[in-house]
Structures are given as structure tokens and as C-alpha cells.
Amino acid sequence: MPPRRIKKDPKADWPFDADGQQVHPRSERGLLLKGLLKPLPKKGEVPDCLLVEPFTEEVVPANAAAVLAHLPSAGSDAAYCYAKPPGDADVYKLHGADNRAPEALPTLTVEHDPDDLAKVKAAIDGDGEPPLYYNPATGFEFEWVVPPPGFYSVKEGWSSSKTKAECVAMA
């Protein structure tokens, strides 16, 4: 005659809740009781994972696009360029409002020789490189469209307008 098997109670290792009832270990309440799951925040509460202090390490611009992105506003009658436009190019403000578009705002306009179009576009748009930043503490260079608050501080001498050649010389 084979030995008799003693059947184990399948609910013996199930956790008990505050009311003394056993809870299935893989249910949400069971995972909460075992500490494997954190409770969801109540309505109106901010979860701990979203309470992050702003990063305060200093980063500095690594290219001309980052420098221009953080220069103080020059006012409505001015614009920052990556380089000086060609010598014979005239930059002025064009008022294009008329009866069809009375709300049109004045725009900056450049009058230049047709052969200088590439030079004028390069002076205004640069080489199309995105703003790059450098973290001196880690040595990493990275790209942000808009740095998070508290992350960016202007290096001494970077708050005045400069040409691209001057920016490359400073970096």
C-alpha cells in the first residue's frame, strides 16, 4: 500500500487583511499587504515620484545656438544673428500690414544682392545645429530644446551679443 499524501491547505500562505480575512496573494490587496505594490495616490495628492527638486548643477553653452538661445531680449527692434550679414546687406523693419491683414506685425527684413543669399541665411540661421550644453562636473555634452528651470546659469561674458567666430573662440 502506497504512503498516504497529506494535502496542503492552498490558502495557508495567503496574507490576512485588517479585518482578519484571507486575501489572494496575487490580487491588488494581496500585493499591497505584502509590500510589493505601493498604494496609488489619493485624488488631489502629488505622487512622490513627481516631487523632484530642480537640477542645480552649472552647465554652459557649448555652441553658438545655445548662446543665442539664452541671450537677454534685445527688444522689438533688434534680432540676434549668428554672424554679421554681408557688408552691403541692409537690415530694416518692414511694416507689411494692409487692408487684407491689418493685424500683421512688423518683421525684420534684409535687402541684399541675390548672390549673397546663402551668406545672409547662414548669418541669420547659423549652421542649423541644435543648442548644445556642456556640464563641467561630468564632462558630458548634451542637447536640450528648453533647459529645465534651475539648470542653466549664464557663464561670465556670455550675456552680450557675439558673432559665431567670437563664440567659437570663447568655447
Side-chain angles (χ1 to χ4, degrees):
M1 194 164 164
R4 222 171 55 180
R5 291 188 182 176
I6 302 172
K7 288 189 176 183
K8 184 180 162 202
D9 182 15
K11 295 185 177 184
D13 57 348
W14 285 21
F16 290 90
D17 65 359
D19 299 335
Q21 292 184 344
Q22 283 191 311
V23 180
H24 193 284
R26 288 183 298 222
S27 68
E28 186 178 351
R29 281 182 38 210
L31 293 171
L32 284 168
L33 289 170
K34 285 184 168 184
L36 299 173
L37 188 68
K38 291 184 178 180
L40 292 173
K42 294 178 182 150
K43 189 173 182 178
E45 285 184 4
V46 178
D48 293 339
C49 63
L50 296 180
L51 297 175
V52 179
E53 293 294 320
F55 199 79
T56 56
E57 278 190 45
E58 181 185 7
V59 295
V60 293
N63 65 355
V67 173
L68 289 176
H70 294 283
L71 288 175
S73 174
S76 60
D77 291 340
Y80 289 119
C81 291
Y82 284 82
K84 187 177 184 308
D88 56 343
D90 292 327
V91 180
Y92 58 92
K93 199 171 186 181
L94 176 67
H95 295 269
D98 60 5
N99 293 340
R100 289 172 291 165
E103 71 283 349
L105 297 174
T107 59
L108 287 172
T109 306
V110 181
E111 187 178 317
H112 57 85
D113 293 334
D115 297 340
D116 291 338
L117 179 61
K119 293 177 187 174
V120 171
K121 286 186 78 161
I124 295 171
D125 298 333
D127 53 5
E129 194 177 27
L132 296 174
Y133 301 91
Y134 172 74
N135 186 346
T138 61
F140 289 121
E141 194 172 283
F142 51 92
E143 174 187 338
W144 264 329
V145 177
V146 179
F151 196 94
Y152 183 82
S153 62
V154 180
K155 198 164 121 178
E156 187 66 35
W158 287 86
S159 59
S160 60
S161 67
K162 295 175 178 28
T163 63
K164 185 174 183 179
E166 290 172 325
C167 294
V168 172
M170 289 181 70

